[in-house]
Amino acid sequence: MIFLDHLINGLSLGSIYAIIALGYTMVYGIAKMLNFAHGDVIMVGAYIAFCGLQYWGFPPVLAILVAMVACTILGITIEGLAYRPLRQAASLAVLITAIGVSYLLQNIALMIWGANPKSFPTTFINGSSIRLGQLNISTATIITILANVVIMVGLTLFTSKTKLGKAMRCVSEDRGAAELMGINVNRTISLTFAIGSALAAIAGILLCSSYPILQPTTGSMPGIKAFTAAVFGGIGSIPGAMLGGILLGVIEIFGKAYISTELGDAIVFAVLIIVLLVKPAGLLGKPMREKV
C-alpha cells in the first residue's frame, strides 16, 4: 500500500513536470529556443491566482482564467521584447537573455509580493479524497493527473488537426520554407509562447495546490526539472514531454522514499545522464541530421 501511495504521488508530481515540460518542448520545437524564464512564468501565474483568491475574491475558475490570460500576455511580451530581436543571434546570446529575463521576473515578484513565503489557499482545490480500499487519493492528485492527460491530448490534436497547429509544424521543420508558403512566422512563434505560458499558469496553480508555499523562487527548481523532463522524453516531442515528466516525478518520489531524501534530486539528474548516454535524443526524440 505504501508503494501505491508513492506511485500515485509520483504520477501527480510527474504530471506537473509534464505540463511545464510541454511549454519548454513547444517553444524549442517551434522556435529552437531554450526559454529558461519559463519557470518564473509559472511563479507569476501562481501569484496572480493567489491574489485573485486571497484579495480579489474570485471564484477558483475565474482565478485560473485570469492567471492564464496574464501569463499569456507575459509570454507574448517576453518573446516580442527579449527573444525576437535575437532570433538570428548565436544561441549563447539567447541563453544569457533567458537567464536575465528569469532574474528580472524574480526581482519584480520580490518587489511586488515581498520575500516572505505566502500560503496558497487550501480551499482552491477541495481537500477531500477518494478512498479505494485502504488507498486514499486526494482530489488535487486526481485533478492534476487528469489535467495532464487532457492537455497532452488537446495539444496533440491541435498540432496535427488545426491550421495553426500545422503552421507550427511547418515553422518547426523549415522556417524559411514556411515563410515562402505564406506562413506568418512571427505570429506562429508568438502563439507558441502564448500557449506555453498559459500552460505555465496552470502548472503553477497545480504545483502550489499540492505544495502550498509560494515565493519568488517557487518556479526555479520545478522549471529546471521540467526542462530535464523535456530532454529526458525527447525535447520537441509532445508525448515525450509527458513521458519524461511522469517518469521524472516517479523516479524522484521513489528515490526520496527508498534511497535518500537528500539525494532525491541528484538521483533524478543521474538517471537523465544515463539515459542520454544511451539515447542522446531522449526516449521519444528523433536524432537531428544536419545537411552538408
Side-chain angles (χ1 to χ4, degrees), residues 65-138:
L65 292 176
V66 169
M68 290 177 65
V69 170
C71 286
T72 298
I73 295 171
L74 178 61
I76 294 172
T77 303
I78 290 172
E79 190 277 327
L81 296 180
Y83 297 146
R84 187 175 299 179
L86 300 174
R87 200 164 289 167
Q88 304 302 323
S91 57
L92 182 60
V94 179
L95 176 62
I96 293 172
T97 301
I99 294 172
V101 172
S102 173
Y103 281 113
L104 175 64
L105 292 177
Q106 287 184 26
N107 280 275
I108 290 174
L110 189 64
M111 289 189 294
I112 295 175
W113 291 291
N116 292 331
K118 311 289 185 185
S119 180
F120 202 79
T122 55
T123 56
F124 181 72
I125 293 180
N126 192 327
S128 63
S129 61
I130 296 176
R131 189 174 183 86
L132 298 175
Q134 297 181 349
L135 186 65
N136 281 327
I137 306 175
S138 68

Side-chain angles (χ1 to χ4, degrees), residues 110-192:
L110 189 64
M111 289 189 294
I112 295 175
W113 291 291
N116 292 331
K118 311 289 185 185
S119 180
F120 202 79
T122 55
T123 56
F124 181 72
I125 293 180
N126 192 327
S128 63
S129 61
I130 296 176
R131 189 174 183 86
L132 298 175
Q134 297 181 349
L135 186 65
N136 281 327
I137 306 175
S138 68
T139 305
T141 297
I142 295 171
I143 291 175
T144 300
I145 295 173
L146 288 177
N148 177 38
V149 174
V150 170
I151 289 170
M152 195 280 291
V153 172
L155 279 179
T156 301
L157 293 175
F158 174 77
T159 55
S160 61
K161 301 295 184 182
T162 67
K163 185 176 180 180
L164 289 174
K166 291 176 181 178
M168 287 181 176
R169 291 166 60 193
C170 288
V171 173
S172 174
E173 288 292 332
D174 191 322
R175 194 178 299 173
E179 287 182 327
L180 292 175
M181 293 172 64
I183 295 173
N184 189 326
V185 172
N186 287 335
R187 185 179 65 184
T188 302
I189 293 177
S190 293
L191 178 62
T192 304

